[in-house]
Amino acid sequence: MSIRWTDYPASGFYDELINQRGNARQPAKRLANYLARLGSDELQQRRQLADATVQDMGVSFTVYTDEGNIDRAWPFDIIPRIIPAKEWNQIAAGLKQRLQALNMFINDLYHEQAIIKDGVIPAYLIEKSKNFRPECIGVKPAFGVWAHICGSDLVRDKDGQMYVLEDNLRVPSGVSYMLENRAITKRVLPEVFSRENVLPVDDYPSRLFDTLAALSPRKVKQPEIVVLTPGIYNSAYFEHAFLAQQMGAELVEGSDLLVGEDDCVYMRTIKGRERVDVIYRRIDDMFIDPEVFNKDSMLGVPGLMRAWKKGNVALANAPGAGVADDKVVYAYVPQIIEYYLGEKPLIPNVETYLCDNADQRAYVLDNLDKLVVKPANESGGYGMLVGPHSTKKDQEKFAKLIKANPRNYIAQPTLSLSTAPTLVDGGVMEPRHLDLRPFILQSRDLYVTTGGLTRVAMVKGSLVVNSSQGGGSKDTWIVDTEAK
């Protein structure tokens, strides 16, 4: 059965591929025509091939439940999302601007705190920050960079404008799925992929390696880089193993490392100890060194903070970077960019209400049924209230939470997130809401992935795209429509 895009329900939201008249947007014309020719039966077969490929490749993630941890195959939709390269170049510039300013902000907080003294950021915001680490005051990481790997979540509203929804600066995950999505799409839609001028993403592991290698305190030709994982039961363990393998780095747990009497970090190997130069850590601050943070942690390395402070090992991301991974700090990012760079933000924030402001809190409490309320430091879609989809009981619960700890909550309008055609049961194309997580790297240089991880709310009408909450993903094509 053929596909008629004029029957596709694109009205009411900005659709990434199909406009409201049922015509494909310019960069997506070739893809839309190809999908229409394939028809729903063939697309169903391609979908089954994709599912089998996910199983064969072992692409999985872990969901934490009350009954225990469940490993699930990665939910994947075969219909790519398309963004023109001309638009992407502007987005990439905005993401570089943002991370550069945020790193200057973090560095300032652990040194002069000029932005507080100048009255741009209120002092109490940092004093009450869950992720400000007094232990990091005075430390000078290479290039003044604390957040070396950032995943900023982008959303497009009904007006077609792209917004930054939040920044993830602690241990952002998802980039391995971006790379695997591309590999799967090449396998299931080879004909159209070969004809489109899709910009590549597969240089990310080498870019990540170069970013990390530049941090090495020893100027050696081949610095020893390791990926520090909490272990096989972590939800992102697939990614930890994938990136280590792709970079040619060692995947280690805390017990594989030790800090010597010289305050250098060593890896235990069958050949003896080997000096470690850079640790790409996928463990939260509070668990990386039991001598400094959580004394009961079995995941970290005793003495690691001491080695880092003495400049004998580089940590990416640096401890303390999470102070900027705070949804209250997010509200100040436009001012942060202007303060440090003297520039206007190239990508706007979503309008944000701070619940510790009495007037804004009153507005939020009066409009809980219309707003999205988020705690300052949760991730994965946990702890949120999506007002239009909530019950009176939910709203009453959040009203109490906000009143008890207003500093910990922000609220935002419920955006009309853009949609894209998604293949559902029966070979039918239906719009599903989505977001986009590009990854930005910074050490000596700045780099932005060509596109990112498009996450899709697989449930009809849902705005929650996180895989932990039932979301899936699709490949993101940055298409150069002007190339010869």
Side-chain angles (χ1 to χ4, degrees):
M1 185 171 65
S2 62
I3 293 171
R4 290 164 48 92
W5 289 112
T6 50
D7 296 334
Y8 175 76
S11 61
F13 302 97
Y14 183 100
D15 194 88
E16 299 284 335
L17 264 63
I18 308 297
N19 65 28
Q20 294 190 6
R21 296 183 300 277
N23 298 321
R25 298 188 186 279
Q26 182 59 38
K29 284 186 179 297
R30 188 174 291 170
L31 173 65
N33 291 336
Y34 169 79
L35 295 173
R37 287 196 303 273
L38 279 185
S40 56
D41 292 341
E42 177 63 23
L43 283 173
Q44 277 288 76
Q45 293 180 25
R46 303 288 178 107
R47 182 188 186 188
Q48 292 168 4
L49 173 60
D51 291 343
T53 302
V54 167
Q55 295 283 354
D56 291 345
M57 295 169 70
V59 185
S60 65
F61 70 104
T62 303
V63 176
Y64 302 126
T65 69
D66 293 337
E67 291 75 33
N69 300 342
I70 302 172
D71 280 330
R72 289 182 177 167
W74 182 244
F76 178 73
D77 177 60
I78 68 171
I79 311 302
R81 173 202 198 145
I82 290 185
I83 300 173
K86 188 174 181 180
E87 180 188 10
W88 185 253
N89 291 338
Q90 297 172 340
I91 293 170
L95 293 170
K96 289 180 180 180
Q97 177 198 55
R98 196 172 180 96
L99 183 57
Q100 186 179 6
L102 284 169
N103 270 313
M104 294 172 76
F105 168 65
I106 300 167
N107 200 51
D108 184 20
L109 291 183
Y110 291 114
H111 294 91
E112 293 81 10
Q113 296 198 342
I115 196 167
I116 294 175
K117 294 171 184 174
D118 288 339
V120 179
I121 297 285
Y124 78 88
L125 199 69
I126 305 306
E127 291 166 1
K128 295 185 177 181
S129 170
K130 178 181 173 183
N131 291 304
F132 180 77
R133 307 285 178 227
E135 300 85 355
C136 296
I137 291 173
V139 178
K140 296 182 178 179
F143 313 110
V145 173
W146 295 71
H148 309 92
I149 302 101
C150 173
S152 289
D153 293 341
L154 304 178
V155 292
R156 197 193 296 276
D157 201 5
K158 60 185 176 184
D159 59 359
Q161 172 68 54
M162 197 76 83
Y163 295 88
V164 178
L165 186 64
E166 64 181 52
D167 303 291
N168 298 281
L169 298 148
R170 284 175 286 180
V171 281
S173 63
V175 75
S176 62
Y177 300 113
M178 174 193 80
L179 298 171
E180 295 287 35
N181 286 352
R182 176 58 52 86
I184 297 166
T185 303
K186 283 182 176 179
R187 185 175 296 188
V188 299
L189 298 176
E191 309 94 333
V192 68
F193 187 89
S194 64
R195 292 198 295 269
E196 291 281 12
N197 192 21
V198 182
L199 301 185
V201 295
D202 45 13
D203 63 339
Y204 179 83
S206 63
R207 294 279 192 167
L208 176 61
F209 181 90
D210 292 345
T211 297
L212 298 173
L215 303 175
S216 174
R218 291 193 300 167
K219 302 310 170 189
V220 293
K221 190 172 182 181
Q222 290 187 317
E224 186 69 63
I225 299 172
V226 301
V227 178
L228 177 59
T229 177
I232 60 172
Y233 297 110
N234 184 266
S235 62
Y237 181 76
F238 169 83
E239 175 158 298
H240 307 165
F242 177 89
L243 291 175
Q245 188 270 332
Q246 291 291 309
M247 287 194 292
E250 296 292 340
L251 180 67
V252 299
E253 297 184 27
S255 58
D256 298 318
L257 302 178
L258 72 145
V259 176
E261 293 180 0
D262 56 357
D263 291 329
C264 294
V265 179
Y266 295 90
M267 174 172 53
R268 295 182 173 96
T269 77
I270 57 173
K271 298 177 183 177
R273 296 181 179 180
E274 288 187 18
R275 170 89 181 265
V276 173
D277 299 297
V278 183
I279 299 175
Y280 176 23
R281 53 110 182 181
R282 299 299 296 258
I283 296 176
D284 288 338
D285 287 358
M286 297 308 293
F287 300 99
I288 62 172
D289 185 347
E291 287 185 5
V292 177
F293 300 118
N294 185 336
K295 292 178 171 49
D296 297 323
S297 173
M298 302 293 288
L299 302 176
V301 185
L304 184 57
M305 286 290 288
R306 185 172 68 248
W308 175 63
K309 285 184 174 184
K310 291 192 174 182
N312 294 332
V313 70
L315 297 177
N317 286 344
V323 69
D325 189 346
D326 181 311
K327 293 177 180 66
V328 178
V329 169
Y330 158 90
Y332 289 90
V333 172
Q335 293 96 306
I336 289 171
I337 292 172
E338 195 154 356
Y339 180 81
Y340 292 108
L341 301 178
E343 302 168 357
K344 296 291 185 184
L346 296 175
I347 312 175
N349 270 19
V350 176
E351 184 180 10
T352 302
Y353 303 99
L354 300 174
C355 291
D356 63 349
N357 177 293
D359 292 339
Q360 294 182 36
R361 179 169 65 252
Y363 175 81
V364 171
L365 292 172
D366 287 342
N367 292 276
L368 287 173
D369 60 326
K370 303 179 185 69
L371 300 171
V372 176
V373 180
K374 301 176 182 178
N377 290 289
E378 288 287 350
S379 60
Y382 292 104
M384 282 176 34
L385 174 80
V386 181
H389 296 172
S390 66
T391 64
K392 283 290 183 186
K393 186 177 179 180
D394 294 331
Q395 294 162 29
E396 290 168 3
K397 171 188 171 185
F398 268 79
K400 290 178 182 176
L401 291 170
I402 291 168
K403 290 173 183 176
N405 187 5
R407 159 64 177 87
N408 192 48
Y409 289 92
I410 62 136
Q412 297 170 329
T414 306
L415 298 182
S416 299
L417 297 188
S418 64
T419 60
T422 301
L423 191 64
V424 299
D425 292 341
V428 177
M429 294 282 192
E430 291 186 356
R432 293 289 186 270
H433 295 291
L434 40 74
D435 76 353
L436 178 64
R437 177 175 290 182
F439 295 85
I440 312 99
L441 303 178
Q442 184 179 4
S443 59
R444 181 181 289 113
D445 302 310
L446 275 159
Y447 163 80
V448 180
T449 51
T450 313
L453 176 65
T454 287
R455 301 182 301 177
V456 185
M458 302 298 272
V459 177
K460 188 173 184 177
S462 173
L463 298 174
V464 181
V465 300
N466 308 77
S467 57
S468 56
Q469 305 290 309
S473 74
K474 56 172 68 202
D475 196 10
T476 309
W477 290 4
I478 306 301
V479 177
D480 189 352
T481 56
E482 298 177 1
K484 300 287 186 178

